[in-house]
Amino acid sequence: MATIYREGKRNATRGASGVHGLPLEFSRTFRTGPRPMPSTFQAAVLRTAGSPRPYARSRPLSIETVTVPAPCAGEALVQIKAASLCHSDLSVVNGDRRWPLPIVPGHEASGVVAEVGPGVESVAPGDRVALIFLTQCGLCVRCVEGQPHLCERGTQANREGRLITGGPHLRSGDALIHHHMGLSAFAEYALVSEKSLVKIPQDLGFIEASLFGCAVMCGAGSALYSAAIRPGESVAVFGLGGVGLAAVLGARSAGATRIIAVDSNPNKRSLALALGATDFVSGDGAAASVRALVPQGVDAALEVSGSVEAFEQALDCTRRGGRTVSTSLPEASRAFHFPLSRLVAEARTIRGSYIGSCVPSRDIPTFIGLYRQGRLPVDKLVSSTIRLEKINEAMDALADASVVRQVIAF
Ligand SMILES: [Zn+2]
Ligand SMILES: [Zn+2]
């Protein structure tokens, strides 16, 4: 009902306020923003998952003109400045992860607050922000006990392709378009909950800032929090995409003295070593190669590749009493096998890591501080910047694993 009321009200006043048809209470906040709020903008819309490759030919993402209503209470309109492509976006496109369609993907971004709804206090027009893909409602039991990466309200809203404040609010013509993870950042603007935003320094570049919401939190967080790596430990990281390389950075920041980077692509070697890996392993039998370097097995193995086989290799090269952590989200039916008796007799820990077990409002500023000290050089994860119109070609490059982070610059 809230949606119908707001849009009806907005339509009823279109043209009446003299400021882009916005009701007066919205136009007041709008006028202080960095530029006029458009009611329409360009966005990459996915209508069918699982299109054949190459995507450059099948073009599953179409650039369309979409509309959003003015922000309601608790909402903000963000002008997206940079949005990076993550493997989770590819899983939306290839159908490995099921989302309500049609949808505008994109869950790793930075931007500027253009307009806020009534009562919004945490951000104001003109603020630079990083966007986070699981809204931290601050009210549910998980949020209250300090685990907002498991926010129940945010998770439910994400599954339904809406915001925690309602929706879906995106439209293309008369058709509703779903929000991806409360953000839908492959677009010039995003209507989000204020609780999906973390303010960032005004002088931080948008390109690198876009990486903190997913790659940095999921990668560095998995090393620092989920695996709780301690100084002097040995670590193996399987899968050197943006999240995996951020895990290498996190392991180095935590004081690990042996960091073995593992990837099937030998071309990842030089970047992995430049970011702090002490060794690089490629090819078949990665677990045996890791054990050749650390015979008793590593203290912690992080699997960041999206592959069940790689996770089993990670288990194989973890020492007795060690921790094996996965950030992977492969197709939902994929399962791993491990003897229960070994889990117990070897006192192992197997842990899933979502958003790196981070508290975004605490950890994004922390990671930005480490970045500025040169201890978390996340800017080195950027392979290229592209235009929104090249998103299908960029999805091909992502599927080929030939890039780390491609960032759409707006
Ligand atoms: Zn991601
Ligand atoms: Zn919550």
Side-chain angles (χ1 to χ4, degrees):
M1 290 303 292
T3 304
I4 295 167
Y5 170 73
R6 180 167 73 243
E7 295 204 321
K9 184 177 179 183
R10 183 168 187 271
N11 288 338
T13 57
R14 188 182 291 274
S17 71
V19 184
H20 295 261
L22 294 173
L24 289 174
E25 66 270 31
F26 293 137
S27 63
R28 190 177 307 118
T29 52
F30 152 70
R31 280 199 196 99
T32 64
R35 54 170 284 182
M37 170 212 157
S39 56
T40 64
F41 52 88
Q42 298 293 294
V45 179
L46 180 79
R47 298 183 179 281
T48 308
S51 294
R53 292 204 47 210
Y55 299 131
R57 191 174 306 142
S58 59
R59 309 204 75 74
L61 290 156
S62 59
I63 309 302
E64 300 183 18
T65 300
V66 301
T67 64
V68 289
C72 252
E75 294 175 349
L77 185 76
V78 177
Q79 184 185 12
I80 301 295
K81 291 290 191 177
S84 38
L85 275 73
C86 167
H87 203 275
S88 294
D89 298 307
L90 178 63
S91 72
V92 180
V93 173
N94 68 19
D96 277 354
R97 302 273 296 163
R98 301 278 173 194
W99 295 96
L101 299 174
I103 195 168
V104 174
H107 68 282
E108 182 176 308
S110 63
V112 177
V113 176
E115 183 187 3
V116 297
V120 169
E121 296 184 344
S122 62
V123 292
D127 284 345
R128 291 190 181 204
V129 288
L131 286 74
I132 54 179
F133 65 80
L134 180 63
T135 310
Q136 40 184 3
C137 81
L139 300 172
C140 74
V141 173
R142 298 285 86 79
C143 279
V144 169
E145 71 176 7
Q147 297 196 86
H149 59 282
L150 300 175
C151 175
E152 292 164 0
R153 293 176 65 207
T155 300
Q156 188 61 30
N158 280 4
R159 284 187 186 135
E160 295 172 10
R162 58 173 175 80
L163 308 183
I164 63 166
T165 49
H169 295 306
L170 288 158
R171 286 177 186 274
S172 179
D174 291 334
L176 285 172
I177 309 286
H178 295 89
H179 304 254
H180 184 216
M181 310 195 96
L183 302 181
S184 288
F186 293 159
E188 294 173 316
Y189 285 80
L191 181 70
V192 302
S193 163
E194 65 171 314
K195 293 174 179 178
S196 296
L197 302 174
V198 173
K199 278 204 283 191
I200 59 175
Q202 288 294 91
D203 59 345
L204 183 66
F206 289 113
I207 300 292
E208 57 263 42
S210 72
L211 305 175
F212 285 89
C214 179
V216 178
M217 279 203 295
C218 295
S222 71
L224 290 160
Y225 300 129
S226 309
I229 292 167
R230 296 183 291 275
E233 287 199 313
S234 56
V235 180
V237 179
F238 287 71
L240 302 178
V243 178
L245 286 166
V248 169
L249 293 175
R252 188 180 72 164
S253 189
T257 47
R258 195 82 188 252
I259 303 172
I260 304 167
V262 183
D263 198 280
S264 57
N265 182 351
N267 296 328
K268 297 280 180 74
R269 181 176 188 278
S270 58
L271 181 56
L273 297 181
L275 293 179
T278 56
D279 306 87
F280 179 81
V281 165
S282 191
D284 295 335
S289 301
V290 172
R291 280 198 179 264
L293 295 167
V294 184
Q296 76 278 19
V298 293
D299 297 304
L302 310 179
E303 186 280 303
V304 197
S305 68
S307 154
V308 172
E309 293 74 19
F311 181 69
E312 291 175 340
Q313 294 276 313
L315 274 168
D316 257 5
C317 72
T318 304
R319 70 164 170 83
R320 299 176 75 245
R323 294 97 69 200
T324 311
V325 173
S326 178
T327 67
S328 279
L329 291 167
E331 196 276 325
S333 67
R334 300 297 312 280
F336 70 93
H337 300 280
F338 192 78
L340 181 57
S341 61
R342 282 188 65 192
L343 180 72
V344 174
E346 298 177 6
R348 289 166 172 272
T349 299
I350 296 174
R351 182 168 184 188
S353 174
Y354 195 61
I355 320 182
S357 312
C358 285
V359 177
S361 51
R362 176 195 68 189
D363 292 316
I364 286 183
T366 298
F367 293 148
I368 289 173
L370 291 172
Y371 167 65
R372 295 192 136 176
Q373 291 175 354
R375 294 160 66 188
L376 205 66
V378 301
D379 53 327
K380 294 193 170 72
L381 304 180
V382 177
S383 303
S384 61
T385 56
I386 62 165
R387 305 300 304 171
L388 181 63
E389 294 73 22
K390 289 291 180 188
I391 193 164
N392 289 297
E393 290 79 0
M395 284 290 168
D396 279 323
L398 187 59
D400 291 336
S402 59
V403 291
V404 179
R405 272 298 192 264
Q406 305 171 94
V407 183
I408 303 166
F410 291 90

